[in-house]
């Protein structure tokens, strides 16, 4: 006589559902989320909790031997906050600041006790304030005073010069969110090159629309950031596509895990090292080194140059963004082609030997 098992108890059913839900793959994904969470905290707090100026490019304009004496005095400041060098005069100092070669300059007045400090808050209000404090203290120790002149001031509606950073963050978010949605809706890895190309085309269209929308909102609508709408539009489209293409590439190689890797690169590593809240000379060495090579850092530098420095010194950062865009597109296509070839070879009938 066979025994028919009765219905499972409520506790047994619950434990069974838990066991079915907690698969090894799900466990790894949850552990990955925890790792990203902790890395987020470590990166933001580690990069931004104690801003400290180190080797800030700084000019000194003074006649004769006074120039060398002033440079030597600034070089000996505790902690090496400045990297001073002589400049020919005030006009040359202003030119180098606008070309983003130096972040500030001291113009020594040989006929009096008041000197002039040139800063550029458009490159970061925190840095301009730090220079004012450092140089003011150094001048006070020599019984001199200093008058501060802002040669590239921020917009009255750009509090602390953060609008350019938030604009770039928004473009970056649009890039990896769009790529992530494509992965969630149709699969992380495109099944063939045609679908990979369609994803890249869709990403380009989103980048064009998002770039224009961001440029219009930050400029004509809110008046938060000066600069040409067309220039900012082009920058926004490039940033959005670069981040989106990189995310598609990571998904094509690593599957759904690629979304987490994109967040690791753009959000966890890229945002705190972008020079947004604190410009690069105020960041710890590691973040100062990686920031210019990542899309948020390259984008923030370019946006500030467009807004406040007449578009000067943008070649290197634009090349970084183009490199991310091109590399992401190539890897996305290769990830769709190579697995397909592998499947074709696997489907070939086995050869026989005599």
């Amino acid at each position: 006589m066979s025994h028919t098992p009765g219905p499972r108890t409520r506790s047994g059913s619950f434990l069974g559902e838990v066991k079915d839900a907690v698969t090894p793959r799900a466990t790894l994904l949850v552990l990955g989320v925890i790792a990203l969470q902790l890395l987020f905290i470590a990166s933001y707090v580690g990069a931004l909790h104690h801003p400290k100026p180190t080797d800030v490019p700084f000019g000194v304009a003074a006649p004769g031997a006074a120039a060398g004496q002033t440079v030597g005095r600034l070089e000996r400041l505790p902690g090496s906050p400045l990297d001073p060098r002589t400049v020919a005069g005030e006009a040359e100092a202003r030119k180098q600041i606008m070309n983003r070669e130096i972040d500030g300059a001291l113009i020594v007045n040989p006929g009096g006790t008041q000197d002039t400090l040139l800063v550029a808050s458009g490159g970061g209000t925190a840095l301009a304030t730090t220079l004012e404090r450092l140089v003011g203290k150094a001048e006070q120790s020599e019984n001199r005073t200093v008058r501060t002149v802002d040669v590239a001031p921020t917009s009255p509606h750009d509090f602390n010069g953060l609008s350019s950073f938030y604009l770039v963050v928004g473009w970056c978010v649009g890039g990896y969110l769009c790529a992530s949605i494509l992965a969630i809706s149709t699969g992380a890895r495109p099944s063939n090159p045609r679908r990979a190309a369609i994803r890249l085309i869709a990403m380009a269209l989103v980048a064009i629309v998002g770039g224009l929308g961001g440029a219009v909102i930050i400029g004509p609508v809110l008046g938060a950031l000066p600069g040409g709408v067309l220039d900012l539009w082009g920058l926004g489209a490039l940033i959005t596509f670069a981040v989106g293409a990189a995310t598609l590439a990571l998904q094509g190689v690593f599957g759904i895990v690629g979304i987490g890797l994109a967040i690791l690169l753009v959000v966890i590593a890229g945002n705190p090292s972008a020079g947004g809240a604190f410009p690069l000379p105020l960041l710890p060495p590691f973040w100062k080194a990686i920031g210019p090579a990542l899309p948020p850092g390259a984008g923030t530098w370019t946006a500030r140059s467009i807004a406040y420095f007449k578009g000067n010194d943008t070649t290197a950062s634009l090349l970084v963004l183009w490199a991310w865009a091109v590399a992401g597109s190539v890897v996305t296509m290769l990830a769709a082609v190579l697995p397909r070839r592998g499947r074709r070879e696997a489907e070939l009938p086995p050869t026989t030997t005599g």
Side-chain angles (χ1 to χ4, degrees):
M1 183 175 178
S2 62
H3 175 70
T4 302
R8 297 171 67 180
T9 62
R10 177 173 298 182
S11 60
S13 176
F14 175 75
L15 293 176
E17 291 176 358
V18 170
K19 184 178 179 181
D20 293 339
V22 184
T23 62
R25 183 170 182 270
T27 301
L28 289 176
L29 290 175
V30 170
L31 292 176
V33 169
I34 295 174
L36 287 176
Q37 179 189 48
L38 298 180
L39 286 171
F40 184 94
I41 296 171
S43 65
Y44 277 72
V45 177
L48 306 177
H49 78 290
H50 184 55
K52 179 183 177 183
T54 305
D55 295 329
V56 179
F58 190 79
V60 174
Q69 294 173 356
T70 305
V71 168
R73 178 161 51 89
L74 295 177
E75 284 180 334
R76 291 189 295 271
L77 291 177
S80 186
L82 301 178
D83 178 18
R85 73 285 305 265
T86 59
V87 295
E90 181 175 350
E92 178 64 20
R94 287 175 175 267
K95 179 181 177 181
Q96 291 191 23
I97 290 174
M98 292 304 298
N99 288 336
R100 309 203 75 178
E101 298 174 20
I102 58 177
D103 293 308
L106 180 64
I107 313 301
V108 178
N109 177 17
T113 59
Q114 185 181 63
D115 299 328
T116 301
L117 171 65
L118 305 180
V119 297
S121 60
T125 303
L127 180 57
T129 303
T130 299
L131 289 177
E132 189 173 0
R133 176 179 55 81
L134 280 172
V135 175
K137 186 176 180 180
E139 290 282 273
Q140 187 178 10
S141 67
E142 298 292 321
N143 295 321
R144 300 181 68 85
T145 60
V146 64
R147 177 178 66 96
T148 301
V149 176
D150 196 342
V151 300
T154 57
S155 164
H157 304 291
D158 183 11
F159 178 73
N160 278 348
L162 292 174
S163 296
S164 55
F165 170 62
Y166 291 135
L167 175 65
V168 171
V169 168
W171 281 329
C172 290
V173 169
Y176 69 73
L177 278 184
C178 179
S180 301
I181 289 172
L182 291 173
I184 293 171
S185 61
T186 59
R189 296 185 177 94
S191 58
N192 55 58
R194 179 174 174 272
R195 292 193 176 186
I198 291 174
R199 289 188 181 188
L200 288 171
I201 293 171
M203 193 69 252
L205 294 175
V206 169
I208 292 171
V209 175
L212 176 60
V216 170
I217 290 172
I218 203 75
V221 175
L222 298 178
L225 203 65
V229 172
L230 290 178
D231 292 335
L232 290 175
W233 179 11
L235 175 63
L238 178 57
I239 293 172
T240 305
F241 182 79
V243 173
T247 305
L248 290 175
L250 290 170
Q251 291 169 175
V253 175
F254 299 102
I256 199 70
V257 176
I259 297 176
L261 295 177
I263 294 174
L264 177 65
L265 282 173
V266 177
V267 179
I268 295 176
N271 285 355
S273 64
F278 300 116
L280 293 178
L282 300 180
L283 296 179
F286 174 75
W287 305 105
K288 181 179 179 180
I290 68 171
L294 297 174
T300 299
W301 179 273
T302 306
R304 281 178 171 162
S305 291
I306 291 173
Y308 297 115
F309 298 93
K310 301 179 180 180
N312 294 327
D313 196 21
T314 59
T315 301
S317 54
L318 287 175
L319 287 176
V320 167
L321 293 171
W322 275 110
W324 280 93
V326 173
S329 301
V330 171
V331 173
T332 298
M333 295 302 297
L334 289 176
V337 172
L338 297 180
R340 190 183 184 190
R341 291 178 179 173
R343 286 196 299 270
R344 283 180 176 176
E345 293 173 359
E347 291 170 359
L348 292 176
T351 59
T352 58
T353 58

